[in-house]
Each structure stands twice: as C-alpha cells, then as structure tokens.
Amino acid sequence: MYNFEYVSKKEAAPAKNELIEIINEVQDILRNKDVSFQFQFIGSSSRNMITCDRNSNIGYDFDVNLDVFYDDDRYDPGEIKHIMMGAFNSVVSRYGYGYCEDSTRVFTIKKIDHWRSKILQSCDFAIVNNYTDKAGSVLQQYIRFNKEQRSYVWADQTKGYYTKPKEDWLKKHGYWDEVLDRYLYKKNTNEGLVKKSRALYAEAINEIYMKHRA
C-alpha cells in the first residue's frame, strides 16, 4: 500500500506558475533560433487530480506538451530536441531545477532537496506536432529517442484512452467524487507502481461508469 493523496489546486499553483515562467523564458530564447512553440498542461494537472505520497522521497509531477513550429529543412528531430533542452538548461537552474534528463518520449526537469534527498516536484515535457490527415482527423506526433541507436525520429502517438464522454456523463450525474475516490484507491494499491497513472484513471472512469450506467 502507498499513501497517495490529492494535492490541492492552491498548493500546486506556485509550482505550476513557476513552470509557466520557465516556459515563457524559453519561448523568448528560442525566437532567436526561429523556433516557436505553444504549451499545454496535460494529464493529472489539467484535471486537478495531482497526487503525492508524502511518505516517499518523490514529490508530485506535471506533464506538458510543447507543440513546436520550425523550419524542418533547417533542423532534424534530434537537433530540435537538443535545442529545446539547451534552452531549458539555460533557465532552470535559477529556479532550483536540475538540468534536463532525456528519455524515450520526454525530457524531464526535477527540483530536488539535496539535504533531504527528496524530489520536490518534476515536470515531463513532450515535444509534439499536431497535424491533420487526409481524412480530416487531428493526429499527433512526438519526438522519440531511440536510446540504443542514439537517434531521434517523429513517431505517431498512440490513441490512448478516450474517456471524455464517460467523464462528462459522470460529472453531469454527480458521480465524480466516486471517480476521485476510486482513482486514489487504485494509485495506493498499484503494487510496484506497475501501471501508469493514465491507465489507472481510465480504469476508474470505466468502473464507476459501468456501476451506474448498467
């Protein structure tokens, strides 16, 4: 069992606002390289469902999509990712964050209390590109890092879990508190943290929906 609890919007606001300041500074820096991007908080922070286990040494985290615009004849995916990480690296230390850590789908910054060996908060940034296919559907790519080959490519995002109609129905009929309770229960019984939070969220939505809709 874990001891996850919800982080209030008020508590998370300073950290979120600080990340927005960092992002805005990076946007200013990248204008000199003819690179621009829009950003969007996604996942738990966008739903006001950030969780934290106060007994662990890992704080709470944010997820942000960076929708990038640039001349693709000038930069390849690897160059863009490193340009963006370089810009973040030039800013984040002034806010108490460590340098960017590169991974397959994202790059991550962490604010660490070294005295207590504790991560206070972190943020995963995915560099994405939204586009419309021939059928008119809006799709998304992200820059994927192949660690073995040390290469970067644009890869299609998986469709993931589409839960919005069920979310809307549950909120409309007053069952959202049950979703919050069920999600937290699943987080605290997720032995070994095997399942991702987005999967647990989708499970909680489906279970409460089926309970009341059936």
Side-chain angles (χ1 to χ4, degrees):
M1 287 287 293
Y2 298 97
N3 293 283
F4 285 103
E5 60 185 60
Y6 286 112
V7 177
S8 70
K9 189 175 182 179
K10 181 179 180 180
E11 180 185 347
K16 184 175 182 179
N17 290 336
E18 188 174 68
L19 287 169
I20 292 172
E21 287 183 28
I22 291 171
I23 292 168
N24 288 339
E25 285 196 42
V26 170
Q27 287 176 315
D28 290 339
I29 291 170
L30 291 179
R31 287 191 182 96
N32 296 326
K33 297 182 179 292
D34 295 324
V35 177
S36 62
F37 65 89
Q38 297 174 341
F39 66 94
Q40 179 183 19
F41 283 82
I42 62 171
S44 59
S45 64
S46 67
R47 297 188 291 264
N48 192 29
M49 292 176 66
I50 296 173
T51 60
C52 179
D53 185 343
R54 309 286 184 181
N55 295 331
S56 75
N57 66 342
I58 299 175
Y60 51 90
D61 60 348
F62 297 86
D63 297 280
V64 177
N65 277 350
L66 307 175
D67 189 5
V68 66
F69 307 94
Y70 67 99
D71 182 355
D72 55 10
D73 290 328
R74 182 176 179 183
Y75 300 120
D76 62 35
E79 289 172 325
I80 279 295
K81 191 168 189 182
H82 284 103
I83 286 172
M84 296 191 74
M85 287 195 298
F88 273 89
N89 283 340
S90 69
V91 173
V92 292
S93 61
R94 288 190 280 106
Y95 291 85
Y97 285 87
Y99 289 147
C100 299
E101 300 175 12
D102 199 2
S103 60
T104 302
R105 301 177 64 90
V106 300
F107 64 89
T108 304
I109 59 173
K110 298 175 182 177
K111 179 176 282 191
I112 300 175
D113 181 342
H114 293 283
W115 181 258
R116 294 185 295 166
S117 299
K118 180 180 178 66
I119 299 173
L120 301 177
Q121 63 252 359
S122 62
C123 185
D124 291 336
F125 295 97
I127 303 174
V128 303
N129 172 43
N130 296 310
Y131 67 98
T132 304
D133 66 8
K134 294 180 180 179
S137 300
V138 178
L139 304 176
Q140 188 177 86
Q141 296 176 314
Y142 70 98
I143 293 181
R144 180 179 178 84
F145 174 38
N146 185 314
K147 294 182 179 180
E148 293 183 359
Q149 299 178 5
R150 307 298 299 178
S151 62
Y152 296 83
V153 297
W154 282 106
D156 287 328
Q157 290 275 28
T158 57
K159 291 185 178 181
Y161 306 96
Y162 184 61
T163 58
K164 191 174 188 312
K166 294 178 182 178
E167 291 172 14
D168 292 344
W169 188 90
L170 290 165
K171 290 176 181 178
K172 178 181 178 181
H173 291 85
Y175 300 122
W176 194 247
D177 284 347
E178 288 188 49
V179 173
L180 296 177
D181 291 343
R182 188 62 180 168
Y183 174 67
L184 203 61
Y185 171 79
K186 285 181 169 292
K187 290 274 291 188
N188 284 323
T189 56
N190 183 25
E191 188 174 351
L193 302 178
V194 174
K195 291 186 178 181
K196 299 290 186 181
S197 293
R198 59 181 177 270
L200 299 176
Y201 175 72
E203 288 179 5
I205 290 287
N206 287 329
E207 288 173 13
I208 303 303
Y209 180 84
M210 292 303 297
K211 173 184 174 181
H212 294 288
R213 189 66 167 169

